[in-house]
Amino acid sequence: MASADDTSSKASDRRHLAVVTPAPKELRDEPSEQPASGGEQQPKFSARELNAWFGAQHVLENITLDIASDEVTAIIGPSGCGKSTFIRCLNRMHELEPDARVSGEVLFDGETIYAPTVDPTLLRRRIGMVFQRANPFPAMSIRDNVLAGRRLTGRLRRGEADEIVETALREAALWSEVDYRLGHSSAGLSGGQQQRLCIARALAMQPEVLLMDEPCAALDPVATARLEDLIHSLKGNYTIVIVTHNMQQAARVSSQTAFFLDGALVEYQETDRLFTSPEDPRTEDYLTGKFG
């Protein structure tokens, strides 16, 4: 359970983002690219004419789509199509790369994230990220790995560490496997356990969103199945955006799927519909293995 101090800190982060200049009205009134649903809930993310470059290389071209709150959205497509760059634009990690730049708009809870008044560090507290290969800190214990982000950002208060560790590890479905060895090095964990430890580290920051960049790419089938079960358990409490090369995985875990090709968004629909009745022939060609 979050402490009152945690709630206050989270509210402070929200207020910091709330001071940004609202997006121009014409951007807000643009027709939604979100798959049709029964409700009118505001999207968690809205990308509008989003472009991204690495130097002269144009890697994302005019991406416009909405991502629903508290659901799982999959991004699929062949290697080099811009999938990972897209999700890195959602928490401004793209700009950390040399010669990287963006244009267009990304709204998070209706507010633009690229305004000069937005602190990227505070933004990334609300939008966590899990990478393709597990990256725990090998010199740290399992416990200290979970707490690393809280300590780095000065958000760890006396007496709350044990609760944070247990809560995060339980959410990441790892507690029962490591509760007796929290002081041991994370290097002794299996690959799947290390990836779930990284998810626990992200969850300890109390984010609203988890971005997952091919989190199962280096895992065996058993570890992959456990991670997919974890994703199912987290949806509803978190907005999850997952990049995957595994089309079967996208079909299993997501509510909506976006198909990217050559830096462009080709099709975005409810997952079942996209896989059974794609509207664009390029989507069907990709799904049936004609390329990619």
Side-chain angles (χ1 to χ4, degrees):
M1 180 181 297
S3 68
D5 287 340
D6 288 338
T7 304
S8 174
S9 177
K10 201 167 188 177
S12 176
D13 291 351
R14 291 175 186 270
R15 287 195 297 271
H16 191 282
L17 186 56
V19 302
V20 303
T21 305
K25 187 175 186 297
E26 60 269 21
L27 287 175
R28 295 175 182 267
D29 290 344
E30 187 173 332
S32 173
E33 295 291 331
Q34 184 178 359
S37 64
E40 296 296 326
Q41 184 181 13
Q42 175 177 269
K44 196 66 175 176
F45 291 101
S46 294
R48 294 290 179 262
E49 299 296 323
L50 178 65
N51 290 264
W53 292 264
F54 291 109
Q57 184 182 7
H58 197 177
V59 293
L60 286 180
E61 298 185 25
N62 299 319
I63 305 297
T64 294
L65 62 81
D66 292 342
I67 293 174
S69 295
D70 300 331
E71 295 185 13
V72 181
T73 299
I75 313 293
I76 65 171
S79 296
C81 70
K83 305 184 299 294
S84 295
T85 299
F86 173 71
I87 66 167
R88 287 169 181 264
C89 288
L90 298 182
N91 69 348
R92 294 185 55 174
M93 288 195 68
H94 173 67
E95 66 192 48
L96 299 177
E97 299 292 331
D99 299 322
R101 59 190 177 95
V102 299
S103 71
E105 189 80 14
V106 176
L107 304 180
F108 178 50
D109 284 341
E111 298 169 352
T112 181
I113 69 171
Y114 281 99
T117 49
V118 173
D119 184 337
T121 301
L122 295 182
L123 179 71
R124 292 175 197 131
R125 289 184 189 176
R126 297 176 63 188
I127 308 173
M129 191 156 190
V130 178
F131 299 94
Q132 182 176 121
R133 293 191 175 275
N135 58 346
F137 303 118
M140 289 186 183
S141 67
I142 295 168
R143 183 179 189 275
D144 287 343
N145 261 276
V146 176
L147 297 172
R150 298 289 290 244
R151 284 188 171 128
L152 183 65
T153 56
R155 298 176 64 211
L156 185 62
R157 296 172 179 83
R158 186 183 300 274
E160 67 179 5
D162 289 344
E163 181 182 1
I164 290 171
V165 169
E166 180 173 351
T167 299
L169 288 171
R170 285 190 184 278
E171 279 199 291
L174 189 58
W175 174 253
S176 63
E177 299 170 35
V178 301
D179 62 334
Y180 62 92
R181 50 175 171 156
L182 295 177
H184 293 195
S185 169
S186 60
L189 300 178
S190 69
Q193 289 173 326
Q194 288 186 1
Q195 191 66 294
R196 282 182 284 145
L197 177 60
C198 292
I199 292 172
R201 187 173 65 200
L203 294 175
M205 297 298 291
Q206 297 182 311
E208 299 165 46
V209 177
L210 282 179
L211 306 177
M212 296 185 166
D213 191 1
E214 299 193 58
C216 301
L219 303 184
D220 62 43
V222 173
T224 294
R226 297 200 69 170
L227 196 58
E228 289 180 4
D229 288 342
L230 173 58
I231 291 171
H232 280 294
S233 72
L234 292 174
K235 71 179 181 181
N237 295 318
Y238 300 91
T239 301
I240 298 175
V241 187
I242 180 171
V243 167
T244 179
H245 273 104
N246 186 327
M247 289 177 282
Q248 291 76 22
Q249 181 175 79
R252 287 191 296 263
V253 304
S254 69
S255 303
Q256 294 88 30
T257 297
F259 170 52
F260 281 46
L261 181 64
D262 296 331
L265 174 63
V266 173
E267 189 165 349
Y268 183 35
Q269 294 201 56
E270 292 182 357
T271 296
D272 289 345
R273 184 175 175 187
L274 184 138
F275 278 92
T276 58
S277 304
E279 295 180 353
D280 193 293
R282 293 171 294 176
T283 308
E284 184 170 4
D285 287 348
Y286 179 71
L287 296 176
T288 55
K290 291 184 179 179
F291 69 90

